[in-house]
């Protein structure tokens, strides 16, 4: 995990930079990052978060923010955000994971290079450091004491590095080019006397003596009026030396290039025209800037490699930057199309490409040797000591590029290609710039640039949908914008309507020639795949989710996970898919549409059906195994055996099961929706049942209801009474959790009728337990007790000890609310023993909660408080946010009764935070408790 604070606070999750949306967790993370070399005490964090209005429950709230941050950072084990007395400590895995640390290191390296008499290298290092800044430090974080002090320190460091970079540039003889920047800098920082010195020196060296002395008079007046002081000694001495004409103030000499006999006086200028209306790619342009803009700072050529999926705009970015950087390479700019994905002519051999470069450098044909090695050596000889810019477009791999690399440090090379080309980073020090689809803001900017502000502003909803339909892919946006521009009388909504139908979307994104057809450009990558990898790519078009893990792809393709990992790596390498998290893969919607079209055209209906069967079995059987880890008391689902090749996974414990569900939750919802239309009705009702406990425990209750509606419809279509009863019961459970009691009881009663007709005793027990829960939620404990007594009889008859314990716990709950506390205590004591013997931590947490209520009713407050706290801790470990919130509410009520109002408020605030996360109506009751307490 990487962090950026030189600008708005952002984290990099392995796929993209993103912000922390919630204000308090963002402030907490910022405070920990600025003090990452030590633990930050909780009291300092409280001051940073609330200032003088720090609440009594600050410690508990900070703990909740820490837990939320850990989830957002994928750090559930607390390895990054460490609890360390007396507070918390952010420990990045690598010191370069924080941009401020990288900035400081580059600044130190630049100062060392400057002191060693290497101003070119120093200037390059300083530029790289300054390029890390994206705006004011921690721009989106409120300024508490820690943040305010750190941002002031970082701003001072940035100005120091800026001054050092200008000093290095002056030492390199760039005085004239520096004048506009220095004039702007003294306007922004008028009291920085060193900047005035540098401006005076740059003007003097440019032969603008009068302006240099005017600058001195200006700063003299400014200091006198603002601070009532004279200019510093260095400024006064610089003015006197200028007046004396001190020869030591002259610009440093730059080495002269030796003339080469026979060379044409005009250097090559081969860059194709830049793309008109180029916008965006600000981050990538910053990455290309730096050493390539002053390549002489490096021992070898400065190599930058732009990679990305087809249509991402690699060539457009390379040419836009190359034209911008061309003045820094006065000896010429060379362009070679390596045709790495040309299906007709094939890739350009390196030897042929070198011949073209040598001819452009005016080497006579008879002097060009035959062998590749000799040509590469001559290229290095011809480019030594020269400042040349190479653009090597559409490379296949590192082997095609490496012979074309010049040898001198004055050259820069920009390579584009769909492959990863990581070999160039390993052996040639290349910096990799990976292009994804455009950020939404830049996609909008592109449409405005091509269609005009008025047309986009007139139909903002259509423009936003068009961006989505084009998957923010630059080529698709360019083609669509061209079509819209050619028909100015058509509304944008008409263009959008053309693109909505996925069956013809790629046809609509065809401008009539290869490089302007999205489908054709995609095909250049696809047609270079071997048969096995191509098959995996096609089958990914069948997957209904937004992303996919390797085991699911293995099921689709009927391969082992190891075998499919190699195929996925090949697809990642050519940017047909992206590994956005370790082991999880995705591609944008247009590539998904392309893959779906391929699988429909190239694979038979039987092959597609079998692949989907394996995929759906993978999710169903894994979800069922994971669900059993969450709730061992639930009855087994009547699943058919998994088909061969479906590679289901069997989580080994509660935490692993929850982690799998969390990762696959969006995919499981998509599979549920896709199963019945694809002809897999059993999966359409069984999968929602398998993930019901996860949706319950994680607080995703609206998803729970929606999936059960899908399940009921599928079961009824099959005319399966057993399945219909199970789904009605699960839907009733979800409805109760959302407070829909009448509708839920109607569903439960119908389920019970069907189960009695089928004489299904375990299913009856489950439905009766759920029916009792509905009555209990409305305070009818006698009706609840009637239900759970029937459940106990059924569970004892079945020998289901975990279910038996659950029934006893429910009976204890009813008895204590009906006033029979001794009987309640006996029931729950027996239930707790059964749950511990059966290894049911969830049952244990629920029973401890009931025991807390019983002890409280008996006036045994110490025992009650202990039980409720242990219950809260148990629910917290299990990720059951509702259970934890309810137990914390009870903790607060007990603490109020024993005369600890501050402790009660702390517990209620922690409870309220959890209920608000769940958007649960119980939050209102806790707010009322806090209001009356205050």
């Amino acid at each position: 995990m990487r962090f950026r604070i030189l600008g708005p606070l952002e984290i990099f999750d392995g796929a993209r930079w993103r912000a922390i949306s919630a204000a308090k967790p963002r402030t907490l993370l910022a405070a920990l990052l600025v003090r990452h070399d030590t633990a930050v005490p909780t009291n300092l964090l409280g001051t940073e978060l609330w200032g003088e209005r720090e609440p009594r429950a600050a410690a508990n709230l900070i703990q909740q923010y820490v837990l939320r941050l850990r989830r957002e950072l994928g750090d559930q084990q607390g390895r990054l955000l460490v609890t360390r007395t007396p507070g918390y400590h952010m420990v990045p895995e690598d010191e370069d994971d924080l941009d401020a640390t990288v900035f400081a290191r580059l600044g130190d390296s630049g100062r060392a290079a400057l002191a060693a008499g290497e101003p070119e290298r120093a200037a390059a290092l300083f530029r790289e450091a300054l390029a890390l800044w994206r705006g004011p430090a921690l721009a989106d974080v409120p300024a508490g004491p820690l943040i305010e002090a750190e941002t002031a320190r970082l701003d001072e460091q940035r100005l120091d590095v800026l001054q050092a970079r200008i000093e290095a540039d002056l030492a390199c003889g760039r005085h004239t080019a520096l004048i506009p920047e220095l004039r702007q800098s003294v306007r922004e920082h008028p009291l920085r006397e060193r900047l005035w010195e540098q401006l005076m020196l740059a003007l003097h060296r440019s032969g603008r003596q009068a302006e240099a002395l005017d600058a001195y008079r200006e700063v003299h007046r400014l200091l006198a009026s603002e601070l009532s002081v004279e200019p510093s000694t260095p400024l006064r001495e610089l003015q006197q030396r200028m007046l004396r004409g001190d020869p030591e103030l002259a610009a440093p000499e730059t080495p002269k290039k030796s003339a080469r006999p026979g060379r044409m006086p005009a250097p090559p200028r081969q860059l194709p025209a830049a793309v008109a209306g180029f916008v965006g790619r600000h981050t990538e342009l910053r990455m290309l800037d730096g050493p390539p803009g002053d390549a002489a700072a490096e021992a070898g050529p400065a190599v930058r490699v732009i990679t990305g999926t087809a249509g991402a705009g690699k060539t457009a970015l390379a040419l836009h930057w190359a034209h911008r950087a061309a003045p820094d390479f006065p000896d010429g700019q060379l362009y070679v199309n390596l045709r790495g994905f040309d299906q007709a002519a094939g890739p350009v051999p390196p030897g042929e490409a070198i011949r073209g470069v040598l001819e452009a450098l005016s080497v006579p044909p008879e002097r060009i040797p035959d062998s590749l090695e000799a040509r590469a050596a001559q290229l290095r000889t011809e480019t030594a000591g020269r400042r040349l810019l190479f653009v090597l477009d559409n490379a296949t791999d590192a082997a095609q590029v490496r012979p074309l690399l010049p040898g001198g440090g004055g050259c820069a090379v920009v390579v584009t290609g769909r492959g990863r080309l990581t070999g160039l980073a390993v052996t040639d020090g290349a910096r990799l710039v990976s292009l994804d689809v455009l950020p939404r803001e830049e996609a909008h900017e592109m449409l405005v640039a091509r269609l005009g502000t008025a047309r986009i502003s007139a139909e903002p909803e259509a423009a936003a949908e068009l961006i989505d339909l084009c998957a923010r892919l630059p080529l698709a946006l360019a083609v669509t914008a061209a079509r819209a521009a050619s028909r100015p009388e058509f509304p944008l909504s008409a263009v959008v309507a053309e693109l909505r139908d996925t069956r013809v979307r790629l046809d609509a994104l065809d401008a009539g020639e290869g490089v302007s057809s999205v489908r054709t450009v995609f095909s250049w990558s696809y047609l270079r795949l071997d048969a096995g990898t191509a098959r995996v790519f096609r089958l990914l078009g069948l997957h209904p989710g937004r992303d996919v893990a390797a085991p699911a792809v293995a099921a689709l393709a009927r391969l082992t996970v190891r075998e499919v990992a190699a195929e996925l790596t090949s697809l990642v390498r050519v940017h047909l898919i992206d590994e956005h998290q370790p082991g999880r893969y995705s591609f944008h919607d247009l590539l998904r549409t392309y893959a779906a079209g391929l699988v429909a055209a190239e694979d038979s209906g039987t092959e597609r059906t079998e692949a989907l069967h394996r995929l759906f079995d993978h999710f169903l059987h894994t979800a069922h195994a994971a669900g059993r880890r969450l709730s061992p008391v639930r009855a087994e689902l009547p699943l058919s055996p998994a088909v061969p090749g479906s590679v289901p996974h069997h989580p080994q414990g509660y935490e692993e099961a929850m982690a799998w569900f969390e990762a696959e939750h969006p995919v499981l919802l998509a599979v549920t929706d896709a199963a019945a239309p694809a002809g897999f009705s059993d999966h359409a009702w069984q999968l929602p049942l398998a993930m019901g406990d996860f949706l319950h425990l994680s607080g995703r209750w609206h998803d729970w209801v929606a999936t059960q509606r899908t399940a009921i419809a599928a079961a009824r279509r099959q005319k399966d009474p057993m399945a219909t009863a199970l789904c009605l019961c699960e839907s009733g459970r979800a409805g109760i959790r959302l407070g829909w009691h009448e509708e839920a009881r109607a569903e439960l009663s119908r389920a019970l009728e069907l189960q009695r007709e089928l004489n299904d005793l375990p299913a009856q027990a489950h439905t009766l337990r759920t029916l009792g829960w509905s009555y209990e939620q409305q305070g009818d404990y006698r009706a609840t007790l009637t239900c759970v007594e029937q459940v106990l009889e059924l569970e004892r008859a079945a020998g289901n000890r975990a279910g038996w314990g659950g029934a006893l716990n429910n009976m204890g709950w009813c008895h204590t609310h009906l006033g029979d506390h001794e009987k309640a205590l006996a029931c729950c004591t027996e239930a707790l023993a059964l749950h511990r013997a059966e290894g049911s931590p969830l049952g244990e947490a629920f029973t401890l909660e009931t025991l807390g209520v019983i002890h409280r009713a008996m006036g045994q407050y110490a025992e009650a408080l202990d039980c409720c706290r242990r219950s809260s801790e148990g629910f917290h470990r299990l990720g059951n946010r509702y259970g934890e919130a309810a137990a914390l509410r009870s903790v607060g009520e007990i603490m109020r009764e024993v005369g600890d109002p501050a402790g009660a408020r702390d517990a209620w605030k922690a409870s309220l935070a959890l209920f608000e996360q769940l958007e649960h109506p119980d939050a209102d009751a806790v707010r009322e408790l806090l209001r009356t307490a205050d």
Side-chain angles (χ1 to χ4, degrees):
M1 183 66 68
R2 291 157 55 199
F3 306 90
R4 299 200 297 200
I5 63 174
L6 303 181
L9 175 61
E10 292 182 337
I11 63 174
F12 186 73
D13 58 13
R16 62 186 177 89
W17 287 103
R18 57 185 174 84
I20 302 292
S21 57
K24 293 298 185 187
R26 183 169 64 247
T27 302
L28 175 63
L29 178 58
L32 295 171
L33 285 172
V34 303
R35 293 280 295 271
H36 66 276
D37 53 346
T38 184
V40 184
T42 302
N43 64 322
L44 287 184
L45 293 173
T47 302
E48 194 70 21
L49 288 165
W50 294 285
E52 296 179 355
R53 303 182 64 183
E54 183 176 344
R56 289 179 181 268
N60 273 338
L61 290 171
I62 289 170
Q63 183 183 35
Q64 296 300 320
Y65 299 151
V66 166
L67 294 174
R68 181 169 178 174
L69 271 178
R70 283 175 175 158
R71 285 195 294 272
E72 188 142 7
L73 299 175
D75 182 39
Q76 282 82 353
Q77 304 302 316
R79 295 190 179 94
L80 279 175
L81 206 172
V82 180
T83 302
R84 185 164 292 161
T85 305
Y88 298 94
H89 189 185
M90 177 59 70
V91 186
E93 295 175 354
D94 185 280
E95 63 177 12
D96 282 359
D97 285 349
L98 180 63
D99 62 350
T101 305
V102 179
F103 173 74
R105 175 174 55 75
L106 289 169
D108 290 343
S109 299
R111 293 183 191 94
L114 195 58
E118 302 177 68
E120 291 281 9
R121 181 166 176 270
L125 289 165
F126 290 138
R127 282 194 191 92
E128 190 174 355
L130 292 167
L132 295 171
W133 285 75
R134 298 165 290 110
L138 295 166
D140 58 345
V141 179
L146 288 177
I147 303 302
E148 187 173 12
E150 180 65 9
T151 53
R153 186 185 72 82
L154 287 169
D155 285 343
E156 188 66 25
Q157 280 190 349
R158 185 183 65 80
L159 280 172
D160 287 345
V161 170
L162 174 65
Q163 291 176 175
R165 197 223 78 216
I166 292 171
E167 183 179 347
D169 281 338
L170 285 169
C172 294
R174 300 189 187 98
H175 35 272
T176 302
L178 284 169
I179 292 171
E181 179 186 2
L182 280 165
R183 287 200 186 280
Q184 180 65 27
S185 295
V186 296
R187 282 195 293 270
E188 293 174 354
H189 309 285
L191 301 181
R192 302 286 292 204
E193 292 186 64
R194 179 59 182 146
L195 289 172
W196 286 98
E197 283 183 62
Q198 292 172 327
L199 174 59
M200 291 169 62
L201 188 58
L203 289 166
H204 177 79
R205 288 179 176 177
S206 300
R208 295 156 70 171
Q209 177 87 347
E211 291 179 60
L213 294 173
D214 281 344
Y216 177 79
R217 285 190 285 273
E218 184 178 349
V219 69
H220 187 285
R221 285 194 301 270
L222 179 69
L223 292 171
S225 62
E226 294 290 332
L227 303 177
S228 300
V229 297
E230 290 286 314
S232 63
T233 299
L235 260 176
R236 294 198 306 271
E237 289 179 351
L238 179 60
Q239 183 220 25
Q240 292 302 313
R241 292 172 69 191
M242 287 179 178
L243 291 171
R244 293 196 308 267
D246 188 342
E248 292 186 4
L249 293 180
E253 291 188 9
T254 55
K256 300 284 190 289
K257 296 186 179 76
S258 60
R260 293 175 179 268
R263 174 159 298 124
M264 296 206 40
R269 299 282 189 258
Q270 294 186 337
L271 294 179
V275 174
F278 182 93
V279 297
R281 297 302 191 195
H282 309 296
T283 299
E284 292 81 4
L285 285 168
R286 283 197 296 270
M287 294 178 71
L288 290 170
D289 285 333
D294 185 17
E298 301 190 357
V303 182
R304 296 295 179 259
V305 177
I306 303 173
T307 63
T309 190
K314 300 178 290 296
T315 299
L317 173 63
L319 291 176
H320 179 78
W321 180 83
H323 279 279
R324 197 172 72 172
D328 288 331
F329 300 95
D331 293 328
Q333 303 92 44
L334 298 128
Y335 174 83
V336 182
N337 185 353
L338 294 172
R339 298 201 305 261
F341 293 85
D342 190 320
Q343 297 302 309
V348 176
E352 181 182 328
I354 294 175
R355 170 181 283 278
V357 171
L358 291 173
E359 290 175 349
L361 295 174
S362 302
V363 177
E366 64 272 14
R367 288 185 50 214
I368 300 175
D370 292 331
S371 73
L372 174 61
E373 292 77 10
R375 286 185 182 182
Q378 185 170 12
L379 176 66
R380 292 191 292 272
T381 300
E382 292 293 328
T383 57
R386 304 174 73 179
R387 294 178 62 75
L388 292 158
L389 173 61
F390 289 67
V391 177
L392 306 179
D393 202 11
N394 296 313
T396 304
D397 52 29
Q400 187 189 26
V401 170
R402 197 168 285 116
L404 280 84
L405 296 181
C411 297
V413 182
V414 180
V415 184
T416 75
R418 299 184 194 180
R420 286 291 182 182
L421 299 169
T422 50
L424 294 174
V426 175
T427 60
D428 302 278
R431 176 183 293 176
L432 302 181
V433 179
S434 181
L435 287 194
D436 199 351
V437 296
L438 287 169
R440 178 168 293 278
E441 297 77 12
E442 293 184 6
H444 185 270
E445 189 180 350
M446 182 177 177
L447 286 182
V448 169
R450 293 180 180 239
L451 295 176
T453 303
R455 194 166 181 190
I456 299 301
S457 300
E459 296 183 81
E461 295 84 3
E465 187 177 356
L466 189 150
I467 288 169
D468 289 334
L469 291 171
C470 289
R472 293 181 281 125
L473 187 72
L475 174 59
L477 287 164
V479 173
T480 303
R483 291 171 69 90
S486 69
R487 295 182 288 181
E489 71 282 4
F490 282 27
L492 275 185
S493 55
V495 181
V496 168
E498 279 187 294
L499 296 176
R500 283 199 184 111
D501 188 344
T502 58
R503 295 169 298 178
V504 299
R505 186 176 303 165
L506 293 181
D507 294 329
L509 295 173
D510 186 342
E513 54 180 302
V515 295
S516 301
S517 165
V518 172
R519 179 185 280 112
T520 301
V521 171
F522 287 168
S523 74
W524 293 341
S525 293
Y526 171 72
L527 292 174
R528 292 186 62 84
L529 302 175
D530 63 57
T533 308
R535 175 175 174 268
V536 169
F537 176 72
R538 294 195 305 272
L539 290 173
L540 285 171
L542 298 173
H543 189 275
R546 303 301 303 174
D547 72 347
V548 60
V553 186
L556 265 174
R558 198 172 182 178
L559 297 172
T560 66
V561 174
R562 173 174 287 188
E563 288 169 339
V564 88
E567 307 289 12
L568 291 168
T569 299
S570 297
L571 292 171
V572 169
R573 190 176 294 122
V574 295
H575 289 276
L576 282 173
I577 63 173
D578 176 47
E579 188 176 11
H580 66 96
Q581 292 178 20
R584 297 198 71 86
Y585 304 85
S586 63
F587 48 14
H588 58 71
D589 285 346
L590 292 180
L591 274 170
R592 182 187 306 280
T593 300
Y594 179 61
L598 288 172
V599 76
E602 299 186 29
D603 297 89
S604 70
T606 300
E607 289 171 323
R608 297 196 300 272
T609 299
E610 289 175 349
L612 281 174
H613 198 164
R614 291 190 298 270
L615 179 71
F616 292 164
D617 267 10
H618 164 77
F619 284 117
L620 173 59
H621 285 267
T622 305
H624 183 247
R628 295 289 295 166
R629 292 294 183 185
L630 302 186
S631 183
V633 302
R634 292 288 295 272
E636 293 275 0
L637 284 175
L639 305 184
S640 300
V643 295
S646 60
V647 282
H649 173 57
H650 295 275
Q652 295 306 301
Y654 185 95
E655 288 76 13
E656 186 181 339
M658 284 295 287
W660 183 85
F661 272 123
E662 287 286 353
E664 298 290 356
H665 163 241
V667 177
L668 292 169
L669 297 181
V671 170
T672 298
D673 290 338
F680 294 90
S681 294
D682 280 345
H683 297 76
W685 68 262
Q686 291 169 348
L687 185 56
L689 290 177
M691 60 177 168
D693 283 305
F694 163 72
L695 297 173
H696 181 197
L697 295 172
S698 63
R700 294 176 170 92
W701 299 332
H702 290 282
D703 285 347
W704 194 13
V705 168
T707 54
Q708 296 316 312
R709 298 288 161 80
T710 301
I712 292 169
R716 283 176 170 162
R717 278 196 303 271
Q718 289 189 280
K719 296 182 171 50
D720 185 336
M722 181 273 295
T724 302
L726 286 174
C727 298
L728 284 166
C729 181
E730 191 70 12
S731 181
R733 289 179 72 211
I736 293 166
R737 180 50 78 200
L738 288 170
W740 305 342
H741 294 287
E742 293 304 320
E743 183 179 343
R745 281 202 281 268
E747 290 181 323
L748 292 167
S749 298
R750 178 57 183 150
L752 200 56
E753 289 174 11
L754 292 170
Q755 289 158 351
R756 284 171 175 160
E757 290 172 7
L758 296 168
N759 197 31
D760 188 341
L761 300 184
Q764 290 177 49
H766 179 63
T767 304
L768 282 164
R769 184 184 294 109
T770 307
L771 189 60
W773 180 39
S774 174
Y775 288 121
E776 181 268 330
Q777 289 288 294
Q778 294 190 299
D780 189 346
Y781 294 102
R782 294 212 175 273
T784 305
L785 185 59
T786 300
C787 290
V788 295
E789 284 174 342
Q790 296 176 63
V791 172
L792 181 62
E793 292 176 12
L794 291 166
E795 298 288 19
R796 278 177 170 162
N800 181 2
R801 292 170 61 82
W804 180 350
L808 283 167
N809 175 50
N810 293 339
M811 288 175 64
W813 182 266
C814 293
H815 283 307
T816 198
H817 280 85
L818 292 169
D820 195 341
H821 306 309
E822 293 295 341
K823 186 178 287 187
L825 189 60
C827 287
C828 286
T829 301
E830 184 181 354
L832 191 62
L834 283 166
H835 285 308
R836 286 174 174 167
E838 291 300 302
S840 173
L842 184 62
E844 185 176 343
F846 276 120
T847 305
L848 283 167
E849 181 183 21
T850 307
L851 282 166
V853 173
I854 297 167
H855 284 299
R856 178 183 170 193
M858 298 173 75
Q860 298 168 351
Y861 295 111
E863 292 88 344
L865 195 57
D866 178 63
C867 287
C868 289
R869 281 175 170 161
R870 285 158 59 200
S871 174
S872 171
E873 291 164 1
F875 283 126
H876 177 74
R877 284 192 298 271
L878 296 171
N880 186 328
R881 291 178 288 173
Y882 177 83
E884 182 182 2
L888 284 167
R889 173 181 172 177
S890 297
V891 167
E893 290 170 346
I894 296 167
M895 296 188 85
R896 178 186 59 185
E897 291 177 14
V898 298
D900 185 357
R905 280 194 294 270
D906 288 347
W908 288 332
K909 285 176 180 176
S911 173
L912 177 60
L914 289 167
F915 278 132
E916 286 178 338
Q917 288 174 23
L918 296 171
E919 299 180 2
H920 195 277
D922 283 5
D924 292 334
V926 181
R927 288 192 195 96
E928 182 62 21
L929 287 170
L930 283 165
R931 190 190 66 77
T932 55
D934 291 337

